[in-house]
Amino acid sequence: MKIATFNINGVKARLPRLLEWLDTFQPDVACLQEIKSVDETFPRMEIEDKGWHVETHGQKGFNGVALISRHPVTDIVRGLPAVDGGVADGDDQSRYIEATVMNVRVASLYLPNGNPRPGPKFDYKLAWMDRLVAHASRLLTVERPVVLAGDYNVIPQDDTDDCHDPAAWVDDALTQPESRARLRALTHLGYLDALRQIHPAGPKYSFWDYQRGAWAKDHGIRIDHLMLSPEAADRLKGADVDRIPRAQEKASDHTPVWIDLAA
DNA sequence: ATGTCAAGTTGCACTTGA
């Protein structure tokens, strides 16, 4: 069972590339972020016509997440709950969708960037991560495979395996101790960083800025992650970055990261 | 030093967010 996460940076601008990638890669589930579309104008029919199931949680202009699946999708949750598990009143940003596919609980998440820092955007990022950790903890009680996939906007480690130039990112919200501590909190709960389980070392970037020729120079960072509950980790067979989409014309600034779970 | 892109709008040139 292949599950991929892909920040597509605008579903309408990327639709031909997205359809090509779905056709080529054939994921069982694709977790999309930054669809930058409301649900009503998401190109649902174009994707459904190729045999996919589509579930979206969009908003106007920015953010927005979606699940695209070869298989039926049930028990959909839209929006990340509050720390206490209730509805997060006052959060109008569409950054989280979760559902069950083939008896695996799969989430597509788009964690706040948090820049500039310090400031309200960084505070929102940390508060959002607190909610994610609390929700991830609750999900463990179902004792079945859980895959939390998405753009975490956190570079896990200060080394060139995760960041082409750690010194250049030292003041960025993506590298702060507070951000990293909350990502580690998922690990302490029992979630596994699937890509680093399969590839413990070596550059595995998933994002390259459009500016300064970052892709051509491989000046990337690793910020797209799939975190696996113990029941999902038991089934982990493979994981990697698919760099092919990033090299194409009209590419997103991210490229897909994927896992393969045993049946 | 600079270099980009997508979406939205009191729109065709700018802002915002990344």
Side-chain angles (χ1 to χ4, degrees), chain A residues 10 12 33 78 89 94 101 116 119 121 171 240 243 246 256:
Chain A
K12 298 183 191 79
Q33 301 89 36
R78 291 179 173 83
D89 295 320
S94 297
V101 180
K121 293 193 173 184
D171 290 323
D240 214 336
R243 292 170 64 107
R246 186 62 182 84

Side-chain angles (χ1 to χ4, degrees), chain A residues 89-121:
Chain A
D89 295 320
D91 186 1
D92 55 2
Q93 301 192 27
S94 297
R95 296 178 174 274
Y96 190 88
I97 186 169
E98 176 193 306
T100 298
V101 180
M102 299 175 82
N103 207 32
V104 176
R105 198 73 183 148
V106 181
S108 175
L109 65 94
Y110 177 45
L111 214 144
N113 175 291
N115 286 303
R117 178 199 65 87
K121 293 193 173 184

Side-chain angles (χ1 to χ4, degrees), chain A residues 45-64:
Chain A
M45 277 194 301
E46 291 88 334
I47 299 171
E48 287 179 339
D49 283 349
K50 310 258 185 203
W52 302 93
H53 299 260
V54 175
E55 297 293 343
T56 64
H57 182 44
Q59 76 177 81
K60 189 166 75 174
F62 308 108
N63 306 323

Side-chain angles (χ1 to χ4, degrees), chain A residues 11-234:
Chain A
V11 69
K12 298 183 191 79
R14 214 70 59 212
L15 185 59
R17 295 289 89 81
L18 174 63
L19 291 171
E20 287 166 12
W21 172 72
L22 288 169
D23 191 49
T24 304
F25 187 73
Q26 289 291 327
D28 291 282
V29 186
C31 304
L32 305 183
Q33 301 89 36
E34 280 204 271
I35 62 175
K36 297 187 177 180
S37 167
V38 295
D39 297 336
E40 292 73 19
T41 56
F42 188 94
R44 163 184 294 275
M45 277 194 301
E46 291 88 334
I47 299 171
E48 287 179 339
D49 283 349
K50 310 258 185 203
W52 302 93
H53 299 260
V54 175
E55 297 293 343
T56 64
H57 182 44
Q59 76 177 81
K60 189 166 75 174
F62 308 108
N63 306 323
V65 288
L67 292 168
I68 308 231
S69 173
R70 268 294 173 214
H71 316 278
V73 180
T74 61
D75 302 304
I76 300 147
V77 169
R78 291 179 173 83
L80 183 62
V83 167
D84 67 4
V87 176
D89 295 320
D91 186 1
D92 55 2
Q93 301 192 27
S94 297
R95 296 178 174 274
Y96 190 88
I97 186 169
E98 176 193 306
T100 298
V101 180
M102 299 175 82
N103 207 32
V104 176
R105 198 73 183 148
V106 181
S108 175
L109 65 94
Y110 177 45
L111 214 144
N113 175 291
N115 286 303
R117 178 199 65 87
K121 293 193 173 184
F122 191 60
D123 296 342
Y124 176 68
K125 175 178 196 154
L126 298 184
W128 203 94
M129 293 190 85
D130 288 338
R131 286 160 55 198
L132 179 64
V133 172
H135 187 62
S137 180
R138 284 189 297 271
L139 283 173
L140 290 177
T141 64
V142 302
E143 296 185 351
R144 66 174 169 182
V146 178
V147 177
L148 303 178
D151 177 357
Y152 279 72
N153 267 315
V154 178
I155 300 170
Q157 302 280 347
D158 252 340
D159 58 43
T160 54
D161 288 348
D162 282 354
C163 178
H164 68 97
D165 182 7
W169 291 82
V170 71
D171 290 323
D172 197 280
L174 277 59
T175 64
Q176 295 313 299
E178 299 92 334
S179 313
R180 287 176 165 161
R182 284 163 175 80
L183 181 61
R184 281 198 304 277
L186 290 177
T187 305
H188 298 151
L189 284 175
Y191 284 85
L192 186 72
D193 178 345
L195 187 122
R196 280 296 178 222
Q197 178 69 15
I198 299 294
H199 303 282
K204 286 290 175 186
Y205 308 144
S206 63
F207 168 91
W208 299 259
D209 201 291
Y210 286 123
Q211 300 188 62
R212 294 174 291 277
W215 166 250
K217 293 186 267 193
D218 200 21
H219 287 179
I221 57 176
R222 188 173 80 91
I223 55 174
D224 298 274
H225 311 302
L226 297 104
M227 303 298 288
L228 311 191
S229 74
E231 291 82 1
D234 287 345

